[in-house]
Amino acid sequence: GEIDWSKATLVYVNHKCVDPNDEKATHFKAMKKFGKALGVKAVAPHPHPKSGSDGSEEAAFYQKTLKEAGVGPSVDLVILGLGGDGHVGSLHPNSTAVASKQLGIIASPKVGEPASITMSMQMLNTSGRVLVVATGADKKVAVAKALSTQKDPPGTFPAQSLLMPQFILDIAAAP
């Protein structure tokens, strides 16, 4: 049968600390590409992030907003991309965010860019299902490393810290 998207709630794995209506914002892109057409409810991030913020206030705001919307601390389905360096969400290698033991939304500052907020690894790993989508030959090495039984030291290749991910790959990305 058909999915009744009006009963779904869209929650962002990660979001740059920019105005949600900014063209660079995850919220803006998602609503433009599919959210409005499907009629899905989206839990939007902080409407007025602070310039130069490390993301801590925005993460606390989003965590509170999710709780008020009846979401969390885990979610039913998470869909992630995979960075060539193994990052998922805004959990970048060797960052304070990837090392966090918090269950929920955390700050993920990055030098030279607006901070981001992201689901912690603990939140990702307590979610019902985690899908990692990777396409293109440029992801082949990252996918192979993510799936390898030989693990890097914790936090150096974040995708290896996902407990039960399922991968959706095109032929070019498949190892």
Side-chain angles (χ1 to χ4, degrees):
E2 295 253 336
I3 296 173
D4 182 355
W5 289 105
S6 68
K7 294 181 180 176
T9 302
L10 177 63
V11 176
Y12 301 109
V13 171
N14 61 310
H15 194 281
K16 285 203 180 297
C17 294
V18 296
D19 185 297
N21 296 313
D22 185 298
E23 290 184 5
K24 292 177 268 183
T26 304
H27 179 71
F28 178 87
K29 293 175 192 174
M31 295 312 288
K32 183 178 178 182
K33 287 186 179 184
F34 62 85
K36 287 180 184 172
L38 294 175
V40 69
K41 295 178 300 227
V43 181
H46 200 291
H48 304 291
K50 289 184 177 178
S51 179
S53 163
D54 71 353
S56 298
E57 283 184 39
E58 291 84 352
F61 174 88
Y62 200 50
Q63 183 71 49
K64 180 178 177 243
T65 304
L66 291 176
K67 186 175 182 179
E68 290 169 356
V71 177
S74 64
V75 295
D76 295 328
L77 172 65
V78 173
I79 303 173
L80 299 167
L82 174 65
D85 62 357
H87 82 269
V88 289
S90 287
L91 298 172
H92 296 277
N94 303 311
S95 66
T96 56
V98 79
S100 173
K101 301 297 180 206
Q102 182 178 331
L103 175 63
I105 304 297
I106 58 174
S108 181
K110 196 167 180 194
V111 177
E113 293 183 28
S116 293
I117 59 174
T118 189
M119 289 182 182
S120 67
M121 188 61 73
Q122 284 66 27
M123 187 172 185
L124 295 175
N125 282 331
T126 60
S127 296
R129 177 171 283 173
V130 176
L131 301 179
V132 179
V133 179
T135 61
D138 60 326
K139 300 293 177 153
K140 186 178 221 130
V141 171
V143 169
K145 195 168 183 176
L147 294 171
S148 176
T149 56
Q150 293 183 334
K151 303 295 183 195
D152 289 0
T156 60
F157 198 84
Q160 291 180 336
S161 296
L162 294 169
L163 296 180
M164 298 287 293
Q166 293 176 309
F167 283 77
I168 299 173
L169 311 170
D170 67 0
I171 290 180

